[in-house]
Amino acid sequence: MTITHLQRAFDYQSISDQIDKIGNHPPRFTYFITIIQIIIFMCSMITGEIAKWGFSSERYLNTVPTFSNHNITIAFTIADNMWYGPDTATILNYGAKYVPCMRELPKIVNKKKYQQETEKSFGCCISPEGDCGMMSINDCHSYSSNWTTNGTLCSSLIENGQCSRIVLRPCCYGVIGTCSIVSEQYCSALPNPKTYHKDSELCSDVNCFNGICGMGTLGNINGETPNQWWRFVTPIFMHVGIGHLFLNTICQLKLGAAIEQISGFWKMAIMYLMSGIGGNIIASVVDSTSFSCGSSSAIYGLIGVDIVDLLQTWQLETDHKKIILSLIPQLILILGIGTLPWFDNFAHLGGFFIGIISGYAFLPYLHFGDRDRIAKILVSRSARIGTFVLFLVLFILFYIVNDPSTLCTQCKYLNCIPWTEGFCDSVWT
């Protein structure tokens, strides 16, 4: 738009003064957050296991000892990481969004209770070789071994010499807290995440999510109830692979730098973190069965902020049709990317929505007359109040609703479409 056109439509000097007042800020926050994300990803690659690169999954067979000189062949499937990065266990330990690490879910609590009831009938089984382990009477007899009585722990039999060593201990494996009483060799043959509890005898004595979730503690005083609330935040800083990090970094530097130039360090930080955290909360409320990480929710929030900036200066644009047509393929691409593993469409859409609200709340704006100025002040203040109320409601929903994912069992397909066999195994639990 030419200066003559601006002067005809608006008070050009007023617009120019407003632009000068907003200033041109260096994108320090954008660079800072990007460097932190790169460092954390490099640490995950160095300290964790690297997953096999690919687009499907592989089936593995292992023959391992069970009890009393018996062997068994176990089969399991490991999903590939299409982005080339750490394995599932490392990603979870570095803070991916995963609801079972953040709060109790009825299906997991019920599973634990069922296991406790089942193990009430367990007793110590002693093999002819003197090895022992906890199991049911039927399982013990299948090994041609001697069974004691219900509730008799093997540790009590070592003291009187009836048992020479305990060879079966609880093994936690998988991302949903599955536990079996097996040999150490059996547990070692299973894929990560896994934890062999050498100081316990029954699965009801251990909390599998201490090993699955990692990060030092489950977040609760008693160390038993999961409450890692910080997983609303940590997914923003963790990425699942080099390709994932590269795509997000390019988008973040381009979009974030442009927004921070007009908003400044602190407002940019608020809008970025609010979008990222808000998107993760919405995703956690809607879908408790999958896990994800990445700064995508925050980046999609920046897309929302950018749209707000466009709407705030709509009067300065000349080709409205071109702008709208350019946005449509972008939004389609956004939703399409969300169907790939480790990308969370609920977090994307949630971050996008929060980004629009936070954009109205914190983004500097130009006004075109007194009426427009008053209207934008009211919208900005209303958006700030609305943001606070929205976050409050989302937190209440997350911690009160039992398991929202049961209301829509097919919603997981909005997050990941199995384009090939095993394509989504790494994120579906």
Side-chain angles (χ1 to χ4, degrees):
M1 182 177 286
T2 64
I3 293 178
T4 305
H5 192 174
L6 281 172
Q7 287 174 331
R8 185 170 65 247
F10 314 107
D11 182 353
Y12 175 72
Q13 187 59 48
S14 173
I15 300 296
S16 180
D17 291 343
Q18 291 178 63
I19 293 173
D20 290 340
K21 187 176 180 180
I22 291 172
N24 188 3
H25 306 275
R28 292 194 181 102
F29 176 81
T30 303
Y31 293 150
F32 171 75
I33 199 78
T34 302
I35 291 171
I36 295 297
Q37 290 163 351
I38 292 172
I39 291 173
I40 291 176
F41 177 74
M42 290 174 62
C43 289
S44 72
M45 293 286 282
I46 294 170
T47 62
E49 297 287 333
I50 306 299
K52 180 180 177 297
W53 180 83
F55 296 89
S56 58
S57 59
E58 286 202 27
R59 185 176 174 83
Y60 295 86
L61 297 174
N62 273 329
T63 300
V64 294
T66 54
F67 187 70
S68 186
N69 294 323
H70 286 68
N71 294 325
I72 190 174
T73 300
I74 57 175
F76 52 87
T77 301
I78 300 179
D80 301 331
N81 185 340
M82 64 176 291
W83 304 105
Y84 189 73
D87 65 357
T88 300
T90 303
I91 293 169
L92 282 174
N93 277 291
Y94 268 80
K97 177 195 73 67
Y98 188 43
V99 174
C101 294
M102 302 162 74
R103 52 158 286 185
E104 284 189 332
L105 292 175
K107 60 183 178 183
I108 292 176
V109 173
N110 293 337
K111 181 181 177 181
K112 180 82 172 178
K113 289 179 179 179
Y114 176 79
Q115 193 153 40
Q116 289 172 342
E117 289 297 318
T118 301
E119 290 184 344
K120 285 181 179 180
S121 63
F122 281 19
C124 187
C125 181
I126 307 172
S127 73
E129 298 79 27
D131 295 337
C132 55
M134 298 295 292
M135 64 182 74
S136 68
I137 184 172
N138 292 333
D139 288 341
C140 184
H141 288 165
S142 70
Y143 290 115
S144 301
S145 300
N146 297 320
W147 195 74
T148 52
T149 57
N150 291 357
T152 302
L153 294 175
C154 294
S155 54
S156 64
L157 301 181
I158 290 181
E159 298 172 0
N160 57 29
Q162 290 181 264
C163 168
S164 60
R165 60 173 183 160
I166 301 174
V167 295
L168 303 181
R169 301 281 188 177
C171 173
C172 293
Y173 58 95
V175 296
I176 58 173
T178 303
C179 182
S180 298
I181 302 174
V182 297
S183 65
E184 187 170 5
Q185 297 97 316
Y186 187 116
C187 191
S188 297
L190 294 171
N192 290 324
K194 61 179 179 248
T195 306
Y196 193 67
H197 297 270
K198 295 183 178 181
D199 297 324
S200 301
E201 294 187 58
L202 295 170
C203 284
S204 53
D205 295 333
V206 302
N207 189 331
C208 288
F209 281 95
N210 275 315
I212 295 168
C213 301
M215 305 192 82
T217 173
L218 284 179
N220 194 278
I221 294 176
N222 60 21
E224 292 294 321
T225 305
N227 185 27
Q228 291 186 345
W229 52 266
W230 52 83
R231 287 182 185 265
F232 291 131
V233 183
T234 52
I236 301 172
F237 298 91
M238 179 61 191
H239 290 80
V240 300
I242 293 175
H244 187 201
L245 178 65
F246 177 77
L247 287 175
N248 277 1
T249 299
I250 294 300
C251 294
Q252 189 164 282
L253 289 175
K254 181 180 178 181
L255 194 58
I259 292 174
E260 189 173 357
Q261 282 178 348
I262 61 173
S263 64
F265 183 96
W266 292 111
K267 287 185 177 180
M268 172 63 182
I270 291 171
M271 293 185 291
Y272 182 91
L273 293 175
M274 279 180 58
S275 300
I277 295 169
N280 289 328
I281 297 174
I282 291 174
S284 300
V285 169
V286 177
D287 180 16
S288 63
T289 63
S290 60
F291 40 92
S292 62
C293 65
S295 59
S296 301
S297 56
I299 293 172
Y300 281 55
L302 295 183
I303 295 173
V305 173
D306 193 45
I307 290 176
V308 170
D309 182 47
L310 174 64
L311 295 175
Q312 296 277 36
T313 57
W314 190 252
Q315 295 92 326
L316 299 178
E317 302 295 340
T318 56
D319 196 344
H320 295 161
K321 183 178 179 180
K322 181 180 178 181
I323 294 170
I324 294 173
L325 290 176
S326 67
L327 285 174
I328 292 175
Q330 291 181 43
L331 295 175
I332 293 174
L333 180 62
I334 285 170
L335 295 175
I337 290 176
T339 64
L340 300 176
W342 294 103
F343 285 93
D344 193 328
N345 256 337
F346 295 117
H348 293 174
L349 295 174
F352 178 74
F353 178 67
I354 299 292
I356 290 176
I357 298 176
S358 63
Y360 277 114
F362 300 103
L363 194 66
Y365 54 82
L366 301 177
H367 61 81
F368 305 93
D370 290 340
R371 178 180 290 184
D372 188 54
R373 179 178 62 82
I374 294 172
K376 286 178 178 177
I377 289 174
L378 291 175
V379 169
S380 177
R381 292 179 180 176
S382 299
R384 295 188 184 194
I385 296 172
T387 301
F388 173 79
V389 173
L390 178 60
F391 269 80
L392 182 63
V393 170
L394 288 173
F395 275 119
I396 292 173
L397 285 175
F398 177 76
Y399 285 106
I400 289 181
V401 177
N402 275 342
D403 189 358
S405 63
T406 57
L407 302 176
C408 181
T409 57
Q410 302 303 311
C411 282
K412 65 180 182 179
Y413 292 105
L414 293 175
N415 268 342
C416 188
I417 295 177
W419 302 105
T420 62
E421 185 178 354
F423 192 67
C424 298
D425 288 353
S426 60
V427 292
W428 286 353
T429 57

